[in-house]
Amino acid sequence: MELKFLHILTYLSLALVASHAALPVTYWTTKLPNTPMPKAIKESLQPSGLTEDKSTSVNVGKGGVNVGVNKGHPSGGTNVNVGGHKGGVKVDTPGGTHVGVGKGGVGVTTPGHHGKPPVSVGVRPGPSPFLYNYAAKDDQLNDNPNVALFFLEKDLHQGSNMNLQFVKNANGASFLPREEADSIPFSSEKMPEILNQFSVDPDSEEGQIMKQTVQECEEPGEEKYCATSLESMVDFTTSKLGNKVQPLSTETQNENTQMQKYTILGAKKMGNNNDKSVVCHKQNYAYAVFYCHKTETTESYMVSLVGADGTKVKAVAVCHKDTSQWNPKHLAFKVLKVTPGSVPVCHFLPQDHIVWVPKN
């Protein structure tokens, strides 16, 4: 048991160290020179993925495995401790965020603000409203903040008011370097092996979420690919759109905002007018996985908004010209009270989603 435990933990530690070598970033700059990396991708890299490593150490001893990255400040580094606490792996990142992978599954805890206690983050299973072949569950209309992100194209103009909430997704999973990601199975057939590798109980909530993510990736239908590394996301996108691409993501002035009225200050159409794009939605998994799909009849916009409390947002909006093939019970139709194929349907992208458009 101890040998098996050390094997899993050593591989997780090595993956972290490899990412600190900025391999995904090097691939990005080589494959996409002079292409700014959107915030959604930066935040899906390991904590030091965009900065030079001043000091990285790996210690394997009686207590387990320890990976430390120091940036010249006692609180500015990243530490991975294995074997020093019950349950599995503990990752402490700058700013006080703790990621634990243990027998109970995968958990993320972020520090409280203004003296409030820490907040434990958990995501329950459920179909994503941004996968267009799934029917909405009844409770999604009531407790899902993404409901408000859908709107009609006729409302996309300066001065338009919308009630919106841009929520920072609790899914803090980071990319693994491609070599590491490719060494881990990713299929329903191998799910028992995958869950065992991450010490996740198959009957736990975390286990069900991971199963659902893989099942969604395996569903037949649209032209899609689930990217398990940044490198594979870049390769899929460029294979569909060419090497001249521009990735876009939603960015907010404040990390989490309340539901409030937003006013559109302006909207700019992005891309080269061929209505093709690749949209990548971050999935719930033990490490970063993005469900990427190519769309042929969409238009993408960068929209500037200001909230009633003064919060400024630069949001990505995607408008679908043809929804005739969507599930008739899709969330958008329930919210907007329209039918498939009747009118263009638009939605803002959450902060951890990315749209890729061809450059002019």
Side-chain angles (χ1 to χ4, degrees):
M1 181 62 138
E2 184 176 352
L3 288 176
K4 174 184 173 184
F5 187 59
L6 267 180
H7 169 71
I8 295 173
L9 301 177
T10 301
Y11 119 148
L12 286 170
S13 302
L14 291 175
L16 184 62
V17 172
S19 68
H20 284 156
L23 294 177
V25 179
T26 300
Y27 190 82
W28 177 282
T29 55
T30 301
K31 190 86 172 182
L32 304 172
N34 303 315
T35 302
M37 186 179 287
K39 186 177 180 181
I41 290 180
K42 290 180 182 179
E43 292 185 344
S44 289
L45 291 169
Q46 295 287 2
S48 62
L50 299 176
T51 57
E52 180 185 358
D53 287 334
K54 300 296 183 183
S55 175
T56 301
S57 61
V58 182
N59 300 307
V60 182
K62 189 174 181 180
V65 181
N66 176 267
V67 180
V69 181
N70 298 313
K71 300 297 180 185
H73 190 281
S75 61
T78 298
N79 295 288
V80 180
N81 301 301
V82 177
H85 73 296
K86 295 181 180 180
V89 185
K90 179 183 178 185
V91 183
D92 298 325
T93 65
T97 299
H98 310 289
V99 182
V101 182
K103 290 184 178 180
V106 182
V108 181
T109 303
T110 60
H113 299 285
H114 308 299
K116 294 181 180 179
V119 179
S120 291
V121 177
V123 184
R124 15 173 232 185
S128 168
F130 304 105
L131 305 182
Y132 311 122
N133 56 337
Y134 283 91
K137 290 186 176 181
D138 291 338
D139 61 357
Q140 284 187 291
L141 290 172
N142 301 318
D143 60 5
N144 190 336
N146 289 324
V147 167
L149 298 181
F150 287 92
F151 61 95
L152 296 176
E153 187 180 40
K154 67 181 182 62
D155 296 322
L156 186 61
H157 60 81
Q158 185 177 5
S160 181
N161 295 318
M162 301 180 183
N163 288 320
L164 302 168
Q165 183 177 17
F166 294 94
V167 179
K168 180 70 174 180
N169 195 309
N171 181 4
S174 298
F175 277 122
L176 294 177
R178 175 153 59 185
E179 184 177 353
E180 294 297 329
D182 288 350
S183 70
I184 305 172
F186 190 81
S187 69
S188 294
E189 182 182 358
K190 297 287 187 179
M191 186 53 63
E193 178 183 340
I194 296 169
L195 296 177
N196 182 62
Q197 196 163 8
F198 286 99
S199 298
V200 176
D201 183 347
D203 297 323
S204 68
E205 187 176 23
E206 293 87 355
Q208 295 303 312
I209 290 171
M210 291 176 66
K211 290 177 187 177
Q212 179 179 306
T213 291
V214 173
Q215 287 169 359
E216 289 175 349
C217 290
E218 293 175 338
E219 283 287 335
E222 62 180 341
E223 194 171 356
K224 69 178 187 294
Y225 175 74
C226 278
T228 58
S229 66
L230 177 58
E231 297 95 322
S232 62
M233 181 194 293
V234 170
D235 285 352
F236 175 76
T237 300
T238 54
S239 72
K240 302 303 177 184
L241 302 178
N243 290 325
K244 293 184 177 180
V245 291
Q246 182 178 9
L248 307 166
S249 68
T250 294
E251 299 188 12
T252 64
Q253 187 178 27
N254 300 323
E255 290 296 334
N256 285 300
T257 62
Q258 60 185 345
M259 179 70 73
Q260 62 177 321
K261 183 179 77 172
Y262 280 86
T263 301
I264 294 180
L265 303 178
K268 179 183 179 182
K269 185 177 179 181
M270 308 301 291
N272 59 8
N273 297 316
N274 69 2
D275 290 346
K276 292 182 181 180
S277 66
V278 169
V279 185
C280 295
H281 310 284
K282 193 170 187 180
Q283 302 298 94
N284 296 314
Y285 207 66
Y287 52 91
V289 173
F290 281 79
Y291 181 111
C292 299
H293 56 119
K294 180 184 177 183
T295 61
E296 296 278 359
T297 57
T298 58
E299 293 181 348
S300 301
Y301 297 84
M302 284 302 303
V303 184
S304 297
L305 306 103
V306 62
D309 66 353
T311 297
K312 294 180 180 179
V313 177
K314 288 190 176 298
V316 177
V318 177
C319 291
H320 300 265
K321 298 293 188 178
D322 182 8
T323 61
S324 60
Q325 300 303 310
W326 289 22
N327 191 312
K329 295 183 179 180
H330 189 273
L331 185 66
F333 302 136
K334 292 188 175 185
V335 172
L336 302 175
K337 302 188 185 316
V338 296
T339 57
S342 59
V343 293
V345 169
C346 304
H347 62 82
F348 291 110
L349 288 184
Q351 295 176 62
D352 60 350
H353 295 199
I354 305 146
V355 63
W356 299 76
V357 296
K359 280 184 182 178
N360 292 321

